[in-house]
Amino acid sequence: MYWGLASFYELMGDYPHAAEAYQASIRHGRAAENLVAEMMSTAGLAVMAFEHGQLQLASEIAAETSARVERSGALPPICAVLYGVFGEVGYQRFEIEPAQRHALHALQLSTLGGYNTGVISCRVLLSRLSQIAGDLEVAAREIQKAVELLPVDMPDYARQEMVSQQVRVYLGRKRPATARMVLQGQGFSFLDQFSFPDLPPGQN
């Protein structure tokens, strides 16, 4: 109930009420000893904090719950989101090695859980981390693995993240023509006057 309410508030852009509902859902999950429900709510709260630029809060939320779950010896696939948050925070803070460890952990859990979008997001993150570490070859391999997994019904936000990293890698490897082809395949036009396709709200 509370998790659904949190999702509704988040969709409506009501951050304070969404946070309250996620926190209530976490408490109820713990009281009922429902680990999956608790993890889903914690992941939602951590991701929301990250998306609002609250990196320290997102890291603290993920750290508290992941540490407790690790002590219990159970790691449900939803924990991949928590480790993904660690990885994204590390990327933003330029903490390359810790971010790579967390991203690899998230990748493992996403793979075990059959969470294809999660696997792709982890590959994109690993590609970014490799690129800023100066290893363009690994960055290229990781993004190619993500492209090969691309499903037809992939969420728009994930597709855009993947395409943007493809372009970064190609530009980093001095291949602007290939980068341009990737963008054209997504509906961008370079004829006469540059134009781009309609993007979902909040993405352009």
Side-chain angles (χ1 to χ4, degrees), residues 63 75 78 83 94 109 140 160 164 173 176:
L75 277 177
I78 188 63
Y83 290 107
F94 209 72
L109 289 171
Q160 290 163 23
S164 68
R173 301 179 78 189

Side-chain angles (χ1 to χ4, degrees), residues 9-168:
Y9 281 131
E10 190 173 3
L11 184 64
M12 298 300 293
D14 190 338
Y15 178 75
H17 283 104
E20 289 176 5
Y22 274 130
Q23 289 164 349
S25 184
I26 292 169
R27 290 194 298 271
H28 280 264
R30 287 179 181 172
E33 297 184 349
N34 187 332
L35 184 61
V36 173
E38 180 186 346
M39 289 297 97
M40 288 179 63
S41 302
T42 302
L45 184 61
V47 169
M48 188 171 68
F50 175 80
E51 290 177 345
H52 282 76
Q54 298 175 304
L55 303 186
Q56 185 60 34
L57 177 60
S59 184
E60 289 173 359
I61 293 168
E64 178 186 358
T65 302
S66 62
R68 192 169 65 81
V69 173
E70 286 173 2
R71 288 194 299 269
S72 74
L75 277 177
I78 188 63
C79 286
V81 178
L82 300 181
Y83 290 107
V85 168
F86 282 137
E88 292 286 359
V89 169
Y91 170 71
Q92 295 294 330
R93 291 175 170 172
F94 209 72
E95 298 168 351
I96 309 303
E97 291 185 9
Q100 286 176 326
R101 289 198 302 272
H102 291 308
L104 286 169
H105 202 166
L107 175 62
Q108 180 184 35
L109 289 171
S110 295
T111 301
L112 290 173
Y115 180 35
N116 201 39
T117 300
V119 171
I120 292 172
S121 295
C122 290
R123 294 290 186 193
V124 171
L125 176 57
L126 286 167
S127 178
R128 287 176 174 170
L129 290 167
S130 295
Q131 185 168 7
I132 63 174
D135 195 336
L136 280 170
E137 293 303 315
V138 172
R141 286 201 299 270
E142 290 294 347
I143 198 62
Q144 183 58 35
K145 289 177 182 178
V147 172
E148 290 170 357
L149 287 171
L150 181 65
V152 175
D153 59 346
M154 185 176 183
D156 286 329
Y157 75 88
R159 183 185 298 274
Q160 290 163 23
E161 291 292 317
M162 188 199 69
V163 170
S164 68
Q165 179 56 19
Q166 269 189 290
V167 171
R168 290 189 189 101

